[in-house]
Amino acid sequence: MTPARHACVIPVMLALLLTGCDDMSKQHKENPYASRDSAPADIAQGSVEYHDAPHPAPAVTMALLRRGHSEYHAFCVPCHAETGAGDGMVVQRGFPAPRPLLTTEEGQPALPERLYGIITSGQGIMYGFAQRIVPDDRWAIVAYLFALRRSQHATRAAMTPIQQAGAQ
Ligand code: HEC
């Protein structure tokens, strides 16, 4: 190929490459869960509908708290960190930092219903988890958050003798 031909082929190739750079976030998307009728017959086990009905909180048991811990660990720790302080790995890599969990803007503890609502629908730039975490597990996370808060504000008197010995 002569140099003159090169000069012609390169712009054509560039034009072809650049037309492939479509902004995918603006493309039309098919949401298979958009309506009940269009939901696929084979919905993955454990998935939930996006607009689920209000769901009463289950009784708080040790099993629920353990479940809450593992769900919190899987879904929330990347941003909110194990302690809830809001300096998880994703935040350390540049994602905006959330406020420490369990306090509101006024510094008061958040109500369980408010926390459940934020987990379900998200808040601001945080996406909701309605499609990823079933209602009982959302409540389990809420219960775990209260246990976490209590653990961080525990007085010595509230500890068992064994815990007191460990805290020396
Ligand atoms: C991708 C990072 C990310 C993940 C994952 C995440 N969050 Fe958040 N969360 C945020 C950010 C950022 C905010 C602040 C949002 C705003 O107000 O703009 C926030 C706000 C909150 C708030 C409100 C705090 C307040 O008082 O303003 C609660 C409660 C919360 N998140 C709980 C959770 C729980 C529980 C999970 C796991 C199920 C979770 N978040 C997962 C980033 C995240």
Side-chain angles (χ1 to χ4, degrees):
M1 217 184 271
T2 64
R5 272 210 169 158
H6 264 116
C8 175
V9 168
I10 289 170
V12 170
M13 279 172 65
L14 271 178
L16 282 174
L17 277 173
L18 289 176
T19 48
C21 297
D22 196 10
D23 184 354
M24 292 179 74
S25 65
K26 293 193 188 116
Q27 282 175 358
H28 173 75
K29 297 181 190 66
E30 224 31 88
N31 180 356
Y33 296 100
S35 83
R36 193 179 283 272
D37 297 338
S38 68
D42 198 15
I43 294 180
Q45 208 190 353
S47 65
V48 289
E49 281 188 56
Y50 186 66
H51 297 290
D52 52 358
H55 190 87
V60 176
T61 59
M62 203 56 209
L64 190 84
L65 288 174
R66 289 212 175 91
R67 179 76 184 154
H69 180 208
S70 77
E71 292 289 279
Y72 178 78
H73 189 83
F75 290 104
C76 321
V77 161
C79 295
H80 290 279
E82 287 286 1
T83 58
D87 57 351
M89 190 51 77
V90 174
V91 173
Q92 289 174 35
R93 294 278 188 276
F95 197 77
R99 271 201 302 270
L101 278 180
L102 288 167
T103 54
T104 62
E105 252 168 290
E106 302 80 41
Q108 299 299 314
L111 294 171
E113 290 75 17
R114 179 168 179 270
L115 293 172
Y116 181 85
I118 293 172
I119 298 173
T120 304
S121 313
Q123 176 186 288
I125 57 167
M126 179 187 133
Y127 45 83
F129 288 84
Q131 284 171 310
R132 291 163 240 236
I133 305 178
V134 294
D136 276 356
D137 287 349
R138 279 177 244 157
W139 281 119
I141 293 174
V142 172
Y144 172 71
L145 286 177
F146 277 85
L148 183 66
R149 178 168 191 275
R150 198 162 168 201
S151 75
Q152 292 172 357
H153 295 85
T155 58
R156 215 178 161 72
M159 295 178 172
T160 64
I162 292 174
Q163 287 169 334
Q164 287 187 16
Q168 294 284 326

